[in-house]
Amino acid sequence: MKRLEKIFVSANGWFLILILGAMPLIVGANITLRFATGHSLPWADEAARYLMIWMTFGGAGLALRVGGHVAITNLQDALPGAGQKLLRAALVLGLLAFFCFMVSVGIEYAQRMQYQSTPAMRLPFSYVYAAMPVGFSLLVLHLLLIARDFIRAGTYKDDGSGESDIAVREGAHG
């Protein structure tokens, strides 16, 4: 299971690296062509914008894994140990329900937009809107993979910085 998780996280990371690499290449080529020839690529801005959307939704799960999203821990810190675990379990269940709801909403949006095309690239908008259900599905998977450790001890997966424990990050700042 750990090996599959590692492959999944690595694939998610490489997906983001490819998108992040493509964005400056497209924008850079557009700028170069504009100054060298006086003509721009008509689809460059649109492509970069849609890649940014995919990168945002695709990267949310990786940020969740390492505790990269905003968190207010005042209530959790005020509770005793058992209360903290119950609160974290409720948070996981609430997030799971929200993420699953957003997957269904995203699928509905993508289906509605399948007959409209993007202005410059003439792609169905459903390709752009598909980032939403894909991103929230990734959030569901990442949440399920970290849920047990998060509920038990309030820890996230180690991102390689050695600061995967909430207590390490939050304890130093009060």
Side-chain angles (χ1 to χ4, degrees), residues 138-153:
L138 290 171
L139 276 162
V140 167
L141 290 172
H142 284 292
L143 180 63
L144 291 174
L145 290 169
I146 69 165
R148 187 181 68 212
D149 291 338
F150 176 71
I151 292 169
R152 281 187 189 164

mmCIF file with all atom_site columns, all heavy atoms in Angstrom, residues 138-153:
data_model
loop_
_atom_site.group_PDB
_atom_site.id
_atom_site.type_symbol
_atom_site.label_atom_id
_atom_site.label_alt_id
_atom_site.label_comp_id
_atom_site.label_asym_id
_atom_site.label_entity_id
_atom_site.label_seq_id
_atom_site.pdbx_PDB_ins_code
_atom_site.Cartn_x
_atom_site.Cartn_y
_atom_site.Cartn_z
_atom_site.occupancy
_atom_site.B_iso_or_equiv
_atom_site.pdbx_formal_charge
_atom_site.auth_seq_id
_atom_site.auth_comp_id
_atom_site.auth_asym_id
_atom_site.auth_atom_id
_atom_site.pdbx_PDB_model_num
ATOM 1   N N   . LEU A 1 138 ? -8.817  13.968 -6.372 1.00 0.00 ? 138 LEU A N   1
ATOM 2   C CA  . LEU A 1 138 ? -7.466  13.861 -5.804 1.00 0.00 ? 138 LEU A CA  1
ATOM 3   C C   . LEU A 1 138 ? -7.469  14.264 -4.329 1.00 0.00 ? 138 LEU A C   1
ATOM 4   O O   . LEU A 1 138 ? -6.797  13.629 -3.507 1.00 0.00 ? 138 LEU A O   1
ATOM 5   C CB  . LEU A 1 138 ? -6.481  14.723 -6.585 1.00 0.00 ? 138 LEU A CB  1
ATOM 6   C CG  . LEU A 1 138 ? -6.143  14.252 -7.993 1.00 0.00 ? 138 LEU A CG  1
ATOM 7   C CD1 . LEU A 1 138 ? -5.325  15.294 -8.736 1.00 0.00 ? 138 LEU A CD1 1
ATOM 8   C CD2 . LEU A 1 138 ? -5.414  12.914 -7.954 1.00 0.00 ? 138 LEU A CD2 1
ATOM 9   N N   . LEU A 1 139 ? -8.227  15.303 -3.982 1.00 0.00 ? 139 LEU A N   1
ATOM 10  C CA  . LEU A 1 139 ? -8.337  15.698 -2.579 1.00 0.00 ? 139 LEU A CA  1
ATOM 11  C C   . LEU A 1 139 ? -8.925  14.570 -1.732 1.00 0.00 ? 139 LEU A C   1
ATOM 12  O O   . LEU A 1 139 ? -8.463  14.321 -0.616 1.00 0.00 ? 139 LEU A O   1
ATOM 13  C CB  . LEU A 1 139 ? -9.185  16.967 -2.438 1.00 0.00 ? 139 LEU A CB  1
ATOM 14  C CG  . LEU A 1 139 ? -8.455  18.274 -2.647 1.00 0.00 ? 139 LEU A CG  1
ATOM 15  C CD1 . LEU A 1 139 ? -9.427  19.420 -2.920 1.00 0.00 ? 139 LEU A CD1 1
ATOM 16  C CD2 . LEU A 1 139 ? -7.595  18.604 -1.439 1.00 0.00 ? 139 LEU A CD2 1
ATOM 17  N N   . VAL A 1 140 ? -9.942  13.888 -2.250 1.00 0.00 ? 140 VAL A N   1
ATOM 18  C CA  . VAL A 1 140 ? -10.538 12.756 -1.525 1.00 0.00 ? 140 VAL A CA  1
ATOM 19  C C   . VAL A 1 140 ? -9.485  11.687 -1.276 1.00 0.00 ? 140 VAL A C   1
ATOM 20  O O   . VAL A 1 140 ? -9.330  11.195 -0.151 1.00 0.00 ? 140 VAL A O   1
ATOM 21  C CB  . VAL A 1 140 ? -11.741 12.171 -2.300 1.00 0.00 ? 140 VAL A CB  1
ATOM 22  C CG1 . VAL A 1 140 ? -12.162 10.817 -1.731 1.00 0.00 ? 140 VAL A CG1 1
ATOM 23  C CG2 . VAL A 1 140 ? -12.920 13.130 -2.283 1.00 0.00 ? 140 VAL A CG2 1
ATOM 24  N N   . LEU A 1 141 ? -8.748  11.325 -2.321 1.00 0.00 ? 141 LEU A N   1
ATOM 25  C CA  . LEU A 1 141 ? -7.724  10.276 -2.170 1.00 0.00 ? 141 LEU A CA  1
ATOM 26  C C   . LEU A 1 141 ? -6.638  10.690 -1.180 1.00 0.00 ? 141 LEU A C   1
ATOM 27  O O   . LEU A 1 141 ? -6.259  9.904  -0.303 1.00 0.00 ? 141 LEU A O   1
ATOM 28  C CB  . LEU A 1 141 ? -7.109  9.946  -3.523 1.00 0.00 ? 141 LEU A CB  1
ATOM 29  C CG  . LEU A 1 141 ? -8.018  9.208  -4.495 1.00 0.00 ? 141 LEU A CG  1
ATOM 30  C CD1 . LEU A 1 141 ? -7.364  9.099  -5.868 1.00 0.00 ? 141 LEU A CD1 1
ATOM 31  C CD2 . LEU A 1 141 ? -8.370  7.832  -3.958 1.00 0.00 ? 141 LEU A CD2 1
ATOM 32  N N   . HIS A 1 142 ? -6.142  11.901 -1.321 1.00 0.00 ? 142 HIS A N   1
ATOM 33  C CA  . HIS A 1 142 ? -5.096  12.364 -0.396 1.00 0.00 ? 142 HIS A CA  1
ATOM 34  C C   . HIS A 1 142 ? -5.621  12.416 1.037  1.00 0.00 ? 142 HIS A C   1
ATOM 35  O O   . HIS A 1 142 ? -4.921  12.026 1.977  1.00 0.00 ? 142 HIS A O   1
ATOM 36  C CB  . HIS A 1 142 ? -4.569  13.738 -0.816 1.00 0.00 ? 142 HIS A CB  1
ATOM 37  C CG  . HIS A 1 142 ? -3.653  13.710 -1.994 1.00 0.00 ? 142 HIS A CG  1
ATOM 38  N ND1 . HIS A 1 142 ? -2.399  13.142 -1.958 1.00 0.00 ? 142 HIS A ND1 1
ATOM 39  C CD2 . HIS A 1 142 ? -3.800  14.184 -3.257 1.00 0.00 ? 142 HIS A CD2 1
ATOM 40  C CE1 . HIS A 1 142 ? -1.815  13.271 -3.128 1.00 0.00 ? 142 HIS A CE1 1
ATOM 41  N NE2 . HIS A 1 142 ? -2.654  13.894 -3.941 1.00 0.00 ? 142 HIS A NE2 1
ATOM 42  N N   . LEU A 1 143 ? -6.848  12.893 1.219  1.00 0.00 ? 143 LEU A N   1
ATOM 43  C CA  . LEU A 1 143 ? -7.430  12.954 2.562  1.00 0.00 ? 143 LEU A CA  1
ATOM 44  C C   . LEU A 1 143 ? -7.553  11.562 3.168  1.00 0.00 ? 143 LEU A C   1
ATOM 45  O O   . LEU A 1 143 ? -7.202  11.357 4.332  1.00 0.00 ? 143 LEU A O   1
ATOM 46  C CB  . LEU A 1 143 ? -8.801  13.640 2.519  1.00 0.00 ? 143 LEU A CB  1
ATOM 47  C CG  . LEU A 1 143 ? -9.525  13.764 3.861  1.00 0.00 ? 143 LEU A CG  1
ATOM 48  C CD1 . LEU A 1 143 ? -8.725  14.632 4.829  1.00 0.00 ? 143 LEU A CD1 1
ATOM 49  C CD2 . LEU A 1 143 ? -10.920 14.325 3.659  1.00 0.00 ? 143 LEU A CD2 1
ATOM 50  N N   . LEU A 1 144 ? -8.016  10.602 2.382  1.00 0.00 ? 144 LEU A N   1
ATOM 51  C CA  . LEU A 1 144 ? -8.147  9.241  2.897  1.00 0.00 ? 144 LEU A CA  1
ATOM 52  C C   . LEU A 1 144 ? -6.788  8.648  3.273  1.00 0.00 ? 144 LEU A C   1
ATOM 53  O O   . LEU A 1 144 ? -6.682  7.888  4.240  1.00 0.00 ? 144 LEU A O   1
ATOM 54  C CB  . LEU A 1 144 ? -8.857  8.352  1.878  1.00 0.00 ? 144 LEU A CB  1
ATOM 55  C CG  . LEU A 1 144 ? -10.334 8.668  1.649  1.00 0.00 ? 144 LEU A CG  1
ATOM 56  C CD1 . LEU A 1 144 ? -10.892 7.824  0.512  1.00 0.00 ? 144 LEU A CD1 1
ATOM 57  C CD2 . LEU A 1 144 ? -11.146 8.482  2.925  1.00 0.00 ? 144 LEU A CD2 1
ATOM 58  N N   . LEU A 1 145 ? -5.754  9.010  2.530  1.00 0.00 ? 145 LEU A N   1
ATOM 59  C CA  . LEU A 1 145 ? -4.419  8.482  2.815  1.00 0.00 ? 145 LEU A CA  1
ATOM 60  C C   . LEU A 1 145 ? -3.788  9.085  4.069  1.00 0.00 ? 145 LEU A C   1
ATOM 61  O O   . LEU A 1 145 ? -2.958  8.448  4.712  1.00 0.00 ? 145 LEU A O   1
ATOM 62  C CB  . LEU A 1 145 ? -3.505  8.688  1.608  1.00 0.00 ? 145 LEU A CB  1
ATOM 63  C CG  . LEU A 1 145 ? -3.835  7.817  0.392  1.00 0.00 ? 145 LEU A CG  1
ATOM 64  C CD1 . LEU A 1 145 ? -3.066  8.281  -0.834 1.00 0.00 ? 145 LEU A CD1 1
ATOM 65  C CD2 . LEU A 1 145 ? -3.562  6.348  0.687  1.00 0.00 ? 145 LEU A CD2 1
ATOM 66  N N   . ILE A 1 146 ? -4.182  10.302 4.426  1.00 0.00 ? 146 ILE A N   1
ATOM 67  C CA  . ILE A 1 146 ? -3.586  10.924 5.621  1.00 0.00 ? 146 ILE A CA  1
ATOM 68  C C   . ILE A 1 146 ? -4.512  10.902 6.832  1.00 0.00 ? 146 ILE A C   1
ATOM 69  O O   . ILE A 1 146 ? -4.093  11.234 7.936  1.00 0.00 ? 146 ILE A O   1
ATOM 70  C CB  . ILE A 1 146 ? -3.149  12.389 5.359  1.00 0.00 ? 146 ILE A CB  1
ATOM 71  C CG1 . ILE A 1 146 ? -4.356  13.303 5.149  1.00 0.00 ? 146 ILE A CG1 1
ATOM 72  C CG2 . ILE A 1 146 ? -2.158  12.466 4.224  1.00 0.00 ? 146 ILE A CG2 1
ATOM 73  C CD1 . ILE A 1 146 ? -4.040  14.772 5.241  1.00 0.00 ? 146 ILE A CD1 1
ATOM 74  N N   . ALA A 1 147 ? -5.775  10.504 6.634  1.00 0.00 ? 147 ALA A N   1
ATOM 75  C CA  . ALA A 1 147 ? -6.796  10.646 7.682  1.00 0.00 ? 147 ALA A CA  1
ATOM 76  C C   . ALA A 1 147 ? -6.425  9.953  8.989  1.00 0.00 ? 147 ALA A C   1
ATOM 77  O O   . ALA A 1 147 ? -6.554  10.536 10.065 1.00 0.00 ? 147 ALA A O   1
ATOM 78  C CB  . ALA A 1 147 ? -8.138  10.136 7.177  1.00 0.00 ? 147 ALA A CB  1
ATOM 79  N N   . ARG A 1 148 ? -5.973  8.716  8.919  1.00 0.00 ? 148 ARG A N   1
ATOM 80  C CA  . ARG A 1 148 ? -5.698  7.963  10.158 1.00 0.00 ? 148 ARG A CA  1
ATOM 81  C C   . ARG A 1 148 ? -4.650  8.659  11.028 1.00 0.00 ? 148 ARG A C   1
ATOM 82  O O   . ARG A 1 148 ? -4.865  8.881  12.220 1.00 0.00 ? 148 ARG A O   1
ATOM 83  C CB  . ARG A 1 148 ? -5.261  6.537  9.825  1.00 0.00 ? 148 ARG A CB  1
ATOM 84  C CG  . ARG A 1 148 ? -5.135  5.672  11.078 1.00 0.00 ? 148 ARG A CG  1
ATOM 85  C CD  . ARG A 1 148 ? -4.673  4.281  10.771 1.00 0.00 ? 148 ARG A CD  1
ATOM 86  N NE  . ARG A 1 148 ? -3.291  4.360  10.301 1.00 0.00 ? 148 ARG A NE  1
ATOM 87  C CZ  . ARG A 1 148 ? -2.754  3.554  9.414  1.00 0.00 ? 148 ARG A CZ  1
ATOM 88  N NH1 . ARG A 1 148 ? -3.451  2.599  8.869  1.00 0.00 ? 148 ARG A NH1 1
ATOM 89  N NH2 . ARG A 1 148 ? -1.503  3.685  9.053  1.00 0.00 ? 148 ARG A NH2 1
ATOM 90  N N   . ASP A 1 149 ? -3.529  9.014  10.420 1.00 0.00 ? 149 ASP A N   1
ATOM 91  C CA  . ASP A 1 149 ? -2.470  9.675  11.197 1.00 0.00 ? 149 ASP A CA  1
ATOM 92  C C   . ASP A 1 149 ? -2.905  11.053 11.674 1.00 0.00 ? 149 ASP A C   1
ATOM 93  O O   . ASP A 1 149 ? -2.551  11.471 12.769 1.00 0.00 ? 149 ASP A O   1
ATOM 94  C CB  . ASP A 1 149 ? -1.188  9.797  10.370 1.00 0.00 ? 149 ASP A CB  1
ATOM 95  C CG  . ASP A 1 149 ? -0.534  8.453  10.107 1.00 0.00 ? 149 ASP A CG  1
ATOM 96  O OD1 . ASP A 1 149 ? -0.804  7.502  10.879 1.00 0.00 ? 149 ASP A OD1 1
ATOM 97  O OD2 . ASP A 1 149 ? 0.234   8.359  9.135  1.00 0.00 ? 149 ASP A OD2 1
ATOM 98  N N   . PHE A 1 150 ? -3.676  11.749 10.847 1.00 0.00 ? 150 PHE A N   1
ATOM 99  C CA  . PHE A 1 150 ? -4.144  13.078 11.244 1.00 0.00 ? 150 PHE A CA  1
ATOM 100 C C   . PHE A 1 150 ? -5.101  12.988 12.431 1.00 0.00 ? 150 PHE A C   1
ATOM 101 O O   . PHE A 1 150 ? -4.989  13.741 13.386 1.00 0.00 ? 150 PHE A O   1
ATOM 102 C CB  . PHE A 1 150 ? -4.821  13.785 10.065 1.00 0.00 ? 150 PHE A CB  1
ATOM 103 C CG  . PHE A 1 150 ? -5.408  15.114 10.433 1.00 0.00 ? 150 PHE A CG  1
ATOM 104 C CD1 . PHE A 1 150 ? -4.578  16.194 10.720 1.00 0.00 ? 150 PHE A CD1 1
ATOM 105 C CD2 . PHE A 1 150 ? -6.773  15.294 10.514 1.00 0.00 ? 150 PHE A CD2 1
ATOM 106 C CE1 . PHE A 1 150 ? -5.107  17.424 11.073 1.00 0.00 ? 150 PHE A CE1 1
ATOM 107 C CE2 . PHE A 1 150 ? -7.315  16.514 10.871 1.00 0.00 ? 150 PHE A CE2 1
ATOM 108 C CZ  . PHE A 1 150 ? -6.475  17.584 11.151 1.00 0.00 ? 150 PHE A CZ  1
ATOM 109 N N   . ILE A 1 151 ? -6.035  12.056 12.387 1.00 0.00 ? 151 ILE A N   1
ATOM 110 C CA  . ILE A 1 151 ? -6.997  11.920 13.484 1.00 0.00 ? 151 ILE A CA  1
ATOM 111 C C   . ILE A 1 151 ? -6.289  11.473 14.759 1.00 0.00 ? 151 ILE A C   1
ATOM 112 O O   . ILE A 1 151 ? -6.519  12.032 15.827 1.00 0.00 ? 151 ILE A O   1
ATOM 113 C CB  . ILE A 1 151 ? -8.124  10.930 13.115 1.00 0.00 ? 151 ILE A CB  1
ATOM 114 C CG1 . ILE A 1 151 ? -9.002  11.533 12.002 1.00 0.00 ? 151 ILE A CG1 1
ATOM 115 C CG2 . ILE A 1 151 ? -8.973  10.590 14.335 1.00 0.00 ? 151 ILE A CG2 1
ATOM 116 C CD1 . ILE A 1 151 ? -9.967  10.547 11.375 1.00 0.00 ? 151 ILE A CD1 1
ATOM 117 N N   . ARG A 1 152 ? -5.420  10.493 14.654 1.00 0.00 ? 152 ARG A N   1
ATOM 118 C CA  . ARG A 1 152 ? -4.730  9.953  15.840 1.00 0.00 ? 152 ARG A CA  1
ATOM 119 C C   . ARG A 1 152 ? -3.809  10.973 16.498 1.00 0.00 ? 152 ARG A C   1
ATOM 120 O O   . ARG A 1 152 ? -3.839  11.169 17.701 1.00 0.00 ? 152 ARG A O   1
ATOM 121 C CB  . ARG A 1 152 ? -3.895  8.740  15.471 1.00 0.00 ? 152 ARG A CB  1
ATOM 122 C CG  . ARG A 1 152 ? -4.666  7.478  15.322 1.00 0.00 ? 152 ARG A CG  1
ATOM 123 C CD  . ARG A 1 152 ? -3.694  6.349  15.128 1.00 0.00 ? 152 ARG A CD  1
ATOM 124 N NE  . ARG A 1 152 ? -4.386  5.127  14.774 1.00 0.00 ? 152 ARG A NE  1
ATOM 125 C CZ  . ARG A 1 152 ? -3.792  4.085  14.269 1.00 0.00 ? 152 ARG A CZ  1
ATOM 126 N NH1 . ARG A 1 152 ? -2.498  4.096  14.042 1.00 0.00 ? 152 ARG A NH1 1
ATOM 127 N NH2 . ARG A 1 152 ? -4.491  3.007  13.974 1.00 0.00 ? 152 ARG A NH2 1
ATOM 128 N N   . ALA A 1 153 ? -2.942  11.578 15.704 1.00 0.00 ? 153 ALA A N   1
ATOM 129 C CA  . ALA A 1 153 ? -1.872  12.386 16.292 1.00 0.00 ? 153 ALA A CA  1
ATOM 130 C C   . ALA A 1 153 ? -1.818  13.820 15.786 1.00 0.00 ? 153 ALA A C   1
ATOM 131 O O   . ALA A 1 153 ? -0.995  14.603 16.238 1.00 0.00 ? 153 ALA A O   1
ATOM 132 C CB  . ALA A 1 153 ? -0.519  11.710 16.025 1.00 0.00 ? 153 ALA A CB  1
#
